[in-house]
Each structure stands twice: as C-alpha cells, then as structure tokens.
Amino acid sequence: MESKHVNRQIAAMRQSFFDEEVLDEKFSQLEQLEGKDNPNFVEEVFTMYFKDSTAFLETIEEAMKTIPIDSIIVDNILHQLKGSSASVGANKVLKEVNKITRQVLGKGNLDGTKASILKLRKEYDSFKAKLEPYFQLKQANSVAQVK
Amino acid sequence: MNVSSVKGSMSISSSTSTWKAGDTISDQFPAGLRVLVVDDDPTCLMILEKMLIACLYKVTKCNRAETALSKLRENKNGYDIVLSDVHMPDMDGFKLLEHIGLEMDLPVIMMSADDGKQVVMKGVTHGACDYLIKPVRIEALKNIWQHVVRKRKNEWKEFEQSGSVEEGDRQPKQSDDADYSSSANEGNWKGSKKRKDEEEETDERDDTSTLKKPRVVWSVELHQQFVAAVNQLGIDKAVPKKILELMNVPGLTRENVASHLQKYRLYLRRLSGVSQHQSNLSTIISAQDPTFGSLSSLSGLDLQTLAATGQLPAQSLARLQAAGLGRATAKSGIPITLVDQRNIFSFENPKLRFGEGQQQHMTNKQQVNLLHGIPTTMEPKQLVSLRHAAQSIGNMNMQVPPHGAQNSQNNPLLMQMGQQQQQSRGQILVDSTINHAPRLSSSMGQPILSNGIATNVSSRNGIPENIRAPGYSQTPSMLNFPVNHASELPGNSFALGSTPGVSILTSKGAFQEDVNSEIKGSGGLMPSYDVFNDLNQHKPQSWELQNVGMAFDTSQHSNSLQGNLDLTQSALGQQGFSSGQMNGHNRSAAVANKAMFSTGDVKELGSAQNVNQHLNNLLVDNTIRIKSERVCDTSPANIFPDHFGQDDLMSALLKQQESVASSENEFDFDGYSMNNIPV
C-alpha cells in the first residue's frame, strides 16, 4: 500500500539518523513522550528547536563579525544551543557546539572559533535538512492514513 | 506514556488544595505533585513539561524567573517543588533559588547544560536540593518527589523538636502512608483526593497545627517582622524562640522560625559574598546544637560563609570544631567566625575558600555590606570552633568587622564588619580575594576582630587580596587591625581579646583553643584580610598581621595541625601581621600581632619572619598565592616589629611557612595545600 511504503521509507530515514549518529537516544525518549493526545509532539519540539537555533546561529555569526567579538554573547548562545540540542538529541550539532565551547573558553582563540562556527553552521544546516523532510513525510503520511 | 490518562488524572486533581496527610495518596503519590518549571529555552521547557506530565505531575511552566516568583507568591501553597534553569536572562537561577528558599521554603532543583564542578557546587551551597544536567532524562524527573518528602520530613522533625506533643500523636498517623504522607502533611500535596477529604483533613489539622504544619509562606511583611526581631535580638542571639516571641505572630511556630532563620543566615552570607558555606554555617549557627553534619559539608566550604554569617555561636563553633575535628577534612569552610554576617559582609566573596581551592570563587567580590546592624559578635568560642573548622578552611575569611564600617569593600575581607558590634568576632574572614589571582579569597579566616578592632580593621582595607592563610602573598594588612580592640575579642582563646582588635588575634585565641590542627592556616590568616582591607594601607601588612595572628594560633596548634595549612596560614597571618606592623603601620593590627604572637606560639610558626617577608613579597605581588614557598621567603625578621615575641612568632611562622611551602602554592588550599606546617 502506499502508506506502507511510505511508512517503510519513514522508518528507514529514521534509522539512518541513528546510524549516522545525527540523532541520539534522546530523540527516542522524545518519541516515547508522544501519544495519542499529542501525536505531533516531536515535530512540534523540533519546529521550536529549529526556529530558535536558527536565530541563535545567526546571532553568533553576527557577533563574530564585530570587533572585538563579544564573547559573552557568544558564550551565552553556545550555552543555550548546548542545552537545547542536547534535549532534542541533535547529536552532531551538540558535538560541534561543545567543541567551540571548549575552544572559546579554552583560549579565546578567535580564528579557530570562527572556523568552528562555520562547521557548526554546516552541521546544523545539514541536520535541519535531514529532519525537516522526515517530519513532513511523517505528517503527510499520517494525514494520508487518516484518510 | 499514556498521556491521555495522565491528562485525565490531571484534571481531576484539584489545584492548590493542600494535601493532607492521611489522604489516600499513598498509592497515587507522587502523582499530582505540583511542579513549577522555569526555563528560558522554550524547547527545553516544552520537553520538560511533557516529561513531567508523563510522570503524572501537575505542571506549571514559566519562561522567566520573575514570572515564576510572582506565581509562587500569589499562590503560596500552590506548589510542591520548583525546577529551575541556572542560566536565565532576567535573573540568575541561584538568586531565584535563594528567594524561593527564603520566602517559600520549597525544594528547588537546578538544571543546566553546564556540568562544571563549580556551578554544581554553587547550586549545592545555595541550597538546591538537586542539580540535574541537561539533557534531563525522564528517569531523573521521576524521582524528584523524594526531595519534597525529605523536606517535609525534616520539617516535621524540627517541628517535633520544638516540642509539640500533638505532633507526635499525629505523626504516627500519618506515617502509615509511606513516608511521604507525613511529610506531605505539611505540604500541599495534591493527591487525587477529593476536595472534601482534603478539607476535612485540613480542619483536623488545624487543630493540632502541628502535624499538618501548613507551609508557612513568608510574606514580605512577615519577613520584615522577622528581620526586625532578629536585629533587635542581635544576630548572634537570635534564637528561634525569642524571635518567635518578638514577632508575636499567631500560628507561627518556633520551627518555622528556625528554618527560616537558617535560610536567612544563608542569605545574608550570600549577600556578603560569603555564601559558600552558608548552608553549612547556617546550620551550624542556627542550631544551637549544631548538627555537625553540616560541618562536613562545610569542608570545602568557605569559611567565609561561616564567617560571613558572622555569627557562629560560640557553642556552635565549639561544636563545629568538635565535629569539624572529626571531619577535619571537611571543614574548610567552617565558620570561622560567623561574625555577624551582615556586618562582615563586605567582603567580596567572603567565601572562605580555604585551601579547598575554592578560593577561586572568591572572585566575587561583592561587597556586601549588608549587614548593618546586625552586630556580629563572634564569641570567642565561636572562634575556637571556627578554628577547627578553619582547618579545612584554611582561608577563613574572617571578617573583621570593621567598626566603622569600613567595608573595605573590595576587599572582601572586610569588613563590612563595620558594624562594630562584633565583639571579638573571632574570626573575621577576610576574604582577600581581592585581586589575587590565587584567590586567597577571603579565606582569610582571619578572626574577626572584636568590635573595637573592627574599626581598626576597616582601616585596613588595604588588605590585599585573599589572604589565604597560608601563603598569602598578600601581606595582610593586618596592621590595620585595630589591635587595640583586643579587648573586645571574645575571651576565648583568642589572643585577640587582648590584642588590638586584630581579629586575627581572636582567631588565634580561638585557634588556640582547640584547633590545633584545625586551624589550618586559614583560620588564622584569614581574618587579617578582611580587616586589612580596611586598613588597606598596608595591604600586605594587614595580611601579615593576620597571619601573624593566625599563625599564632596555629602555631599553637601547629603541632596538631594537620593541615599544615592551618599553620601556614596562621603563620602567614602572623607574618603578615608582623610585617604589617613592621611597616610601621601602626596599625593596631600590629598591636594585635603582638598580642598574638606574644603567646609564643609563634615559635611554632617558625619563621614568622619568613612569613612576613613572604607575605610582604606576596603582597607585593599582589597575588595571594600562598605558596608556601613564598611564605618562607619572607624575611620575618624585620617584619615583625617587635610586637610579639617576634621570635616566637617568627619561628612559628617560619615553621608554618616551611610546611606551607611544601604544599603547593597556589592557593588551592584544599585544605591543606599549604600545610606542611610542622607541627
């Protein structure tokens, strides 16, 4: 059936996220929190996460352009990103954030930090690009199934 | 998770009714636990809420601390536990924690993505029941109810201790429902009880008023009455019973007052920057019979807090000491002189980081001058006990209450003590964190100079940074200590009493008494800092004085001091002291030094001179590094103006120095880093 096929596809996508370690077990815990009453809980969480994180990254990138760089802002944002990425299970993104945090805290090595932030941005964008279609597919599928 | 069922149950439970023990909640508990969660990150907030609901709790979420506080205030008994993030834009999570503790006395759990030891420690010392690292797992949330139960149980205990028979009767009744029943008694537990049942229970409880112990909400007015009562009695004399009488609020129990007093002391301490070990201190202080359990926690605590709080009742101190001795390691923070916290707090972070390495904390130099008016009278006994506590503390930040209000503010050391009251505050924790990198931070457990001294001390302000007892590089400006006040110093062993206000002396006295080993340098040294700050002038000197004093005491104990630190510290203190004096600062501190050293303890200290020198050097460097090595460097000889039997002092100091030297230098007191105080 159409939906079965789509289901398989969704499952495969999901599995790949774990295999690639883009997501970690926190994600499964979130899934467990979903239920009949809030079937789209995970998607809602991610929507919120993407919205905030995109804004955070942009702020960091802006901050990196100023001279001197306002490390307090960068620090705060990194901290926020760390918390939220960890809470949603965004494994690779979290790793990048931790790297930068260590760098920034470690020696205030701005050049290194800049490079790391670019990497973070890349990782984040890729993450978003993977998850969003996943949710869309899920959503479409559930709608289709309802029908 | 069966969210729907959860929701269903949620709707049933009434909100905010008080949970009465005895209700059939045992099987439902902890369902219905009323949780308030505060986090500025919406993603996290959403996830937490969902998880808490999945645990069958009744959840209220806020994304701002202010909102949370107002919700709590509006509905005083409406929540059982609070979960709060540490980093929030509008208010620091720790501040929120304090407020909640003071006003509502609810258990608070902190959360953060930051798992650094310092932060976690901060959470603990500020009174958080628990600290969760993000990402928070649902399993961790499933157990948060234990904190509510525990708190209730403790309240019960206090309650009972206050002597209410009725409570006893009730107690058994409640206890049949699992432990939490009784504890929940007080709380407003919302079980799935019917409203009616709850009401009935409430009525019953009202009669006894003990079992149920409805949570007392400390409104602003009530708190003000409380503060007024405390001020009237004097912070060190403020016992719950008397406060209760003064407040004359119907329905308020001694127990309520006792626990609130504890919190308040912590709060004051915190304000003065000492906070670290407030909890410990408060425990100590508040309880006439100090529960030494807290002592252990003290270890590593900043004595400052202790000192800050100023009032470490002599008995408590004594107890602490005793306990501390047992705990020896722990004590670092023990109160050196709880001297009036208020007064003392000017130190910036009085936290005594004794050796524990906490010195680093001291960076907060907040000048908390808060306390005005609360005379901190450090009883000599306290000092003594502090000394013990000081052991680990190493840097007891003795706050020398500057009588004049010197708040030397920046120097944590000082003094805010200004409030002279202090009667011989034993140890003034002088947190000389001031600029020293090593952060001796106020660990200067310097004995709090007696009131008389305090004033002098204020002059010290100059005291440079954290004169951590051992190795304070800063030359404690002990000199400033108005050594004259010695008289004020509480009789206890503090030599101070006799000496000029130098708090150090007092500390010495205290130390002398028991701390042989306890003193861990910190005790002795610290005070000088605070005091010195005031004195400022001779920063290095003041330290010296302190050290001298401290060393002095410690020297006595040096033998027993295990923590060489103590000795070192004291030695340092002494040295500083002496050096201070030598510099002609005529600081009363110098006088104090004399007094202190005269005891001959100095000898033990070894080269007090060295210490002084060292101190001087240190001071110069402005780094408090107490490196023992440095300490030894100082050339004590000239430093100590003939105040005390310098020779004695010197020797004592020197000895300490040596021992100290062995330990590492950076302040890290961890108790005894410096100590190799030869005993």
Side-chain angles (χ1 to χ4, degrees):
Chain A
M1 271 182 34
E2 182 75 350
S3 80
K4 253 199 204 141
H5 169 72
V6 175
N7 280 343
R8 269 202 298 271
Q9 198 179 343
I10 291 174
M13 274 177 93
R14 181 181 169 282
Q15 189 54 43
S16 74
F17 296 150
F18 287 112
D19 293 342
E20 290 168 22
E21 292 183 355
V22 168
L23 287 178
D24 62 24
E25 68 273 0
K26 199 69 184 69
F27 183 81
S28 346
Q29 289 174 21
L30 287 183
E31 287 177 321
Q32 284 169 17
L33 288 174
E34 256 183 4
K36 236 178 351 145
D37 285 0
N38 55 341
N40 298 321
F41 173 65
V42 182
E43 186 185 352
E44 284 164 19
V45 169
F46 272 83
T47 306
M48 194 172 288
Y49 169 72
F50 287 134
K51 179 165 131 282
D52 287 345
S53 304
T54 303
F56 284 148
L57 270 179
E58 280 167 10
T59 308
I60 287 190
E61 284 163 350
E62 278 304 311
M64 295 303 285
K65 291 186 194 148
T66 65
I67 293 169
I69 295 186
D70 187 348
S71 62
I72 296 185
I73 288 186
V74 174
D75 255 357
N76 284 345
I77 294 194
L78 284 176
H79 181 84
Q80 293 265 56
L81 267 178
K82 185 174 176 192
S84 51
S85 304
S87 302
V88 302
N91 194 40
K92 283 193 171 168
V93 175
L94 178 64
K95 284 200 173 119
E96 290 303 320
V97 173
N98 283 337
K99 268 195 219 153
I100 301 178
T101 306
R102 278 193 296 271
Q103 268 177 332
V104 169
L105 294 184
K107 22 197 160 150
N109 170 8
L110 286 186
D111 285 339
T113 309
K114 278 185 180 159
S116 303
I117 287 185
L118 282 177
K119 190 150 189 292
L120 170 67
R121 165 56 90 175
K122 208 170 77 114
E123 202 61 63
Y124 173 78
D125 286 344
S126 138
F127 178 67
K128 193 159 178 268
K130 288 187 166 131
L131 271 288
E132 278 181 339
Y134 168 75
F135 286 118
Q136 280 162 11
L137 196 55
K138 257 188 112 206
Q139 182 71 345
N141 194 37
S142 64
V143 169
Q145 281 180 337
V146 167
K147 286 196 198 138
Chain B
M1 315 259 170
N2 195 345
V3 178
S4 49
S5 63
V6 170
K7 287 195 181 158
S9 56
M10 286 295 162
S11 51
I12 293 178
S13 30
S14 43
S15 43
T16 71
S17 36
T18 46
W19 183 79
K20 304 299 185 276
D23 287 351
T24 50
I25 39 179
S26 44
D27 48 346
Q28 312 219 334
F29 181 88
L33 193 68
R34 292 161 308 164
V35 183
L36 176 66
V37 55
V38 190
D39 194 333
D40 61 323
D41 183 352
T43 310
C44 291
L45 196 60
M46 191 186 210
I47 297 176
L48 283 166
E49 187 197 17
K50 188 57 77 181
M51 291 197 288
L52 289 165
I53 289 178
C55 294
L56 306 188
Y57 299 149
K58 182 166 185 333
V59 187
T60 308
K61 59 177 180 177
C62 305
N63 65 351
R64 289 176 63 81
E66 295 290 353
T67 319
L69 261 183
S70 58
K71 276 194 207 270
L72 285 166
R73 285 174 182 146
E74 283 166 28
N75 192 355
K76 313 244 165 160
N77 290 330
Y79 302 96
D80 298 308
I81 190 167
V82 179
L83 254 64
S84 172
D85 188 31
V86 167
H87 297 267
M88 289 190 287
D90 62 333
M91 188 194 290
D92 182 24
F94 296 117
K95 272 192 110 181
L96 177 65
L97 171 58
E98 276 180 27
H99 280 293
I100 296 178
L102 266 181
E103 294 177 35
M104 291 116 206
D105 192 20
L106 283 173
V108 182
I109 294 180
M110 304 302 294
M111 304 180 287
S112 179
D114 189 353
D115 60 353
K117 193 177 109 175
Q118 305 266 14
V119 190
V120 178
M121 176 66 83
K122 212 174 164 196
V124 172
T125 57
H126 279 66
C129 293
D130 205 350
Y131 190 104
L132 303 177
I133 309 290
K134 288 185 181 172
V136 179
R137 293 172 310 119
I138 191 169
E139 291 78 23
L141 295 179
K142 285 206 167 109
N143 288 328
I144 62 177
W145 56 267
Q146 63 173 294
H147 302 292
V148 183
V149 175
R150 193 177 293 121
K151 210 171 176 84
R152 298 281 165 75
K153 263 190 119 138
N154 290 340
E155 286 177 1
W156 259 113
K157 247 193 242 162
E158 287 177 14
F159 208 50
E160 284 177 343
Q161 281 167 8
S162 52
S164 180
V165 179
E166 289 169 321
E167 295 168 1
D169 297 341
R170 292 267 178 156
Q171 188 98 47
K173 201 157 77 154
Q174 325 251 335
S175 51
D176 44 27
D177 286 319
D179 284 350
Y180 36 83
S181 309
S182 33
S183 51
N185 218 1
E186 308 172 353
N188 308 311
W189 204 253
K190 266 193 28 162
S192 41
K193 331 209 61 347
K194 287 194 237 163
R195 225 327 120 113
K196 191 166 92 136
D197 291 345
E198 291 172 345
E199 286 168 357
E200 287 172 0
E201 301 236 349
T202 312
D203 294 344
E204 290 175 16
R205 295 281 185 301
D206 287 342
D207 301 344
T208 48
S209 77
T210 44
L211 281 183
K212 189 174 50 172
K213 223 162 73 143
R215 171 161 303 182
V216 170
V217 177
W218 283 86
S219 65
V220 178
E221 303 77 32
L222 198 60
H223 182 69
Q224 275 174 5
Q225 274 180 279
F226 169 81
V227 175
V230 169
N231 286 344
Q232 197 175 323
L233 291 167
I235 193 75
D236 50 341
K237 290 216 166 52
V239 292
K241 203 158 187 301
K242 294 204 182 132
I243 296 174
L244 185 64
E245 286 167 17
L246 274 180
M247 283 175 73
N248 195 19
V249 171
L252 193 63
T253 66
R254 187 212 78 91
E255 238 238 323
N256 296 138
V257 174
S259 61
H260 192 72
L261 180 64
Q262 233 180 35
K263 293 208 191 93
Y264 184 60
R265 284 196 169 125
L266 270 179
Y267 173 68
L268 290 178
R269 230 178 290 178
R270 233 172 274 162
L271 288 181
S272 32
V274 173
S275 64
Q276 290 292 346
H277 306 281
Q278 291 168 0
S279 40
N280 299 321
L281 289 176
S282 53
T283 333
I284 299 181
I285 300 181
S286 43
Q288 288 308 314
D289 291 304
T291 38
F292 289 101
S294 49
L295 282 178
S296 34
S297 47
L298 283 179
S299 51
L301 287 181
D302 299 329
L303 272 183
Q304 315 161 350
T305 18
L306 284 179
T309 38
Q311 315 234 316
L312 191 52
Q315 307 131 354
S316 314
L317 282 176
R319 278 190 275 198
L320 285 177
Q321 288 183 333
L325 289 179
R327 303 204 200 187
T329 49
K331 290 111 6 133
S332 44
I334 301 198
I336 309 199
T337 41
L338 290 185
V339 186
D340 232 10
Q341 313 147 347
R342 298 302 171 111
N343 303 323
I344 313 196
F345 285 25
S346 330
F347 318 150
E348 300 174 325
N349 309 321
K351 317 269 174 138
L352 298 174
R353 302 230 190 172
F354 293 133
E356 313 277 9
Q358 296 186 355
Q359 295 136 0
Q360 286 108 43
H361 287 304
M362 303 295 259
T363 42
N364 326 311
K365 315 191 188 193
Q366 309 145 358
Q367 329 272 314
V368 202
N369 283 322
L370 316 171
L371 323 168
H372 337 258
I374 294 207
T376 46
T377 42
M378 286 268 315
E379 284 127 36
K381 292 202 230 148
Q382 293 180 345
L383 289 178
V384 178
S385 44
L386 285 179
R387 281 199 305 183
H388 288 298
Q391 291 185 336
S392 36
I393 309 190
N395 310 314
M396 298 233 270
N397 295 314
M398 299 272 246
Q399 306 180 353
V400 179
H403 298 285
Q406 7 300 188
N407 309 316
S408 14
Q409 332 12 124
N410 301 326
N411 288 326
L413 303 182
L414 312 158
M415 343 257 306
Q416 292 299 330
M417 318 241 224
Q419 337 277 319
Q420 15 343 148
Q421 37 295 330
Q422 314 168 343
Q423 319 165 356
S424 53
R425 307 304 160 111
Q427 313 170 342
I428 300 191
L429 296 177
V430 180
D431 210 343
S432 26
T433 41
I434 325 180
N435 349 317
H436 297 284
R439 296 170 279 198
L440 276 188
S441 45
S442 41
S443 335
M444 300 245 313
Q446 306 152 6
I448 303 197
L449 297 179
S450 47
N451 297 324
I453 306 185
T455 35
N456 297 335
V457 177
S458 27
S459 45
R460 290 247 208 158
N461 298 320
I463 306 191
E465 13 347 309
N466 327 323
I467 302 197
R468 292 213 289 192
Y472 288 115
S473 16
Q474 336 171 351
T475 43
S477 32
M478 300 263 308
L479 306 186
N480 298 325
F481 276 118
V483 182
N484 321 314
H485 292 288
S487 52
E488 299 188 347
L489 296 176
N492 19 332
S493 47
F494 295 111
L496 293 179
S498 51
T499 54
V502 179
S503 46
I504 308 186
L505 293 180
T506 34
S507 49
K508 283 205 350 186
F511 293 118
Q512 298 174 348
E513 298 184 353
D514 27 30
V515 184
N516 295 342
S517 41
E518 314 263 8
I519 306 252
K520 303 270 190 129
S522 52
L525 297 177
M526 314 266 239
S528 37
Y529 272 108
D530 283 336
V531 173
F532 294 136
N533 283 331
D534 278 351
L535 299 181
N536 251 325
Q537 295 117 38
H538 309 274
K539 290 207 196 156
Q541 279 124 25
S542 43
W543 184 74
E544 294 177 344
L545 281 183
Q546 293 179 341
N547 294 332
V548 175
M550 305 274 225
F552 198 64
D553 288 334
T554 49
S555 53
Q556 296 175 356
H557 309 291
S558 48
N559 305 314
S560 44
L561 274 179
Q562 40 185 46
N564 312 314
L565 262 193
D566 297 347
L567 278 183
T568 347
Q569 294 187 344
S570 47
L572 290 175
Q574 295 187 348
Q575 289 192 340
F577 207 79
S578 39
S579 31
Q581 302 184 345
M582 309 236 236
N583 302 318
H585 300 296
N586 44 221
R587 298 283 171 166
S588 29
V591 179
N593 280 333
K594 287 217 220 165
M596 299 203 295
F597 292 113
S598 46
T599 33
D601 289 341
V602 183
K603 297 189 240 195
E604 300 184 22
L605 292 182
S607 41
Q609 303 164 359
N610 294 338
V611 174
N612 280 334
Q613 292 250 330
H614 187 63
L615 288 177
N616 285 327
N617 298 338
L618 293 176
L619 287 176
V620 175
D621 297 343
N622 226 22
T623 45
I624 310 204
R625 307 204 181 214
I626 304 218
K627 300 194 180 180
S628 44
E629 295 146 2
R630 299 243 244 154
V631 172
C632 299
D633 297 339
T634 56
S635 45
N638 24 355
I639 308 187
F640 295 103
D642 47 340
H643 310 292
F644 325 97
Q646 291 193 348
D647 295 346
D648 290 351
L649 277 179
M650 295 298 211
S651 49
L653 284 174
L654 287 173
K655 280 207 203 138
Q656 275 196 353
Q657 300 278 340
E658 288 161 30
S659 46
V660 172
S662 37
S663 43
E664 39 287 48
N665 313 310
E666 277 300 336
F667 300 121
D668 214 69
F669 281 121
D670 280 8
Y672 316 139
S673 37
M674 317 220 233
N675 346 355
N676 296 306
I677 300 190
V679 169

